[in-house]
Amino acid sequence: MQRCRIAFGPFVLDPDMGTLLKDQIPITVGHRGLTLLAALTARPGEILTKAELMDLPGRAPPLRKATLPSKSRR
C-alpha cells in the first residue's frame, strides 16, 4: 500500500507514520496535533467545523471545545 505524504512549505506530514518534518528534520508533535494536521490537509481549501474537528477519530481522548480556539479569542 502506498503511503500518503503531504508537503506544504518546508513541512512534510506523513499521517500513516505519525511524523512531521521541517526541512527533513523531525518535529515533535503530539497525537492530537498530528490528527488535526491530517484532517486539515486531507481537505485543502475547505473549512472544517468545530464539530467535525471534535469528532476526529484517534487513540487520544476526544478533543474538547476548550482545545479549539474560538473566534472571540483571536
Side-chain angles (χ1 to χ4, degrees), residues 10-33:
F11 299 95
V12 177
L13 173 66
D14 186 336
D16 295 332
M17 294 297 294
T19 59
L20 179 66
L21 306 176
K22 180 181 180 192
D23 297 322
Q24 300 181 3
I25 299 170
I27 296 178
T28 303
V29 180
H31 182 74
R32 283 188 188 168

Side-chain angles (χ1 to χ4, degrees), residues 1-2 5 12-13 17-18 20-22 30 32 34-35 37 42 46 48 51-52 54 56 62 65 67-70:
M1 183 164 90
Q2 184 178 3
R5 297 178 77 194
V12 177
L13 173 66
M17 294 297 294
L20 179 66
L21 306 176
K22 180 181 180 192
R32 283 188 188 168
L34 288 170
T35 301
L37 278 173
E46 293 184 40
L48 280 72
E52 289 173 304
M54 290 170 61
L56 290 173
K65 191 173 185 176
T67 307
L68 302 171
S70 70

